[in-house]
Amino acid sequence: MAQLYKALFLLTKETEPAVKNAQVAQAVSYIERSLGRRELSNELLASALHMSTASFRKQFTQAMGVSPMRYVLIRRMEYAKQLLQEGGCTV
């Protein structure tokens, strides 16, 4: 049973980044909801959080270890990989 809990903990830790900055957490949530639907930019994300673009980029990069646009790219690639693995989409 302990191994099951440990596996679930590790799985959760890997799939959901621990974000201590509330504004960055909101940005991550917005990105996750918008992966396949719209163009995402630093300006759009910063505006949605009522922040300046420079401040948003700096806070996001400090909290996540990658720039906002790099994070979007990584998540879109992971999302595409998931869709291909599920068999619902093809290249």
Side-chain angles (χ1 to χ4, degrees):
M1 187 62 101
Q3 289 178 335
L4 176 61
Y5 287 124
K6 184 177 180 180
L8 289 173
F9 171 77
L10 292 173
L11 182 61
T12 303
K13 185 176 180 181
E14 291 174 8
T15 58
E16 293 183 17
V19 181
K20 294 182 181 178
N21 182 315
Q23 289 177 312
V24 173
Q26 288 178 322
V28 168
S29 177
Y30 186 91
I31 291 167
E32 294 299 320
R33 290 190 316 267
S34 305
L35 282 176
R37 290 185 280 149
R38 63 169 60 178
E39 182 72 25
L40 292 171
S41 67
N42 287 318
E43 292 77 16
L44 176 70
L45 293 166
S47 175
L49 298 171
H50 308 288
M51 298 174 70
S52 73
T53 303
S55 178
F56 167 71
R57 275 195 318 255
K58 183 178 180 179
Q59 284 188 31
F60 191 98
T61 302
Q62 286 176 341
M64 300 299 291
V66 294
S67 71
M69 293 301 94
R70 172 71 65 182
Y71 182 80
V72 168
L73 178 64
I74 291 167
R75 288 298 301 128
R76 282 185 170 159
M77 295 297 287
E78 290 172 351
Y79 181 63
K81 180 180 172 184
Q82 177 186 355
L83 291 175
L84 289 169
Q85 287 176 337
E86 291 173 357
C89 297
T90 59
V91 178

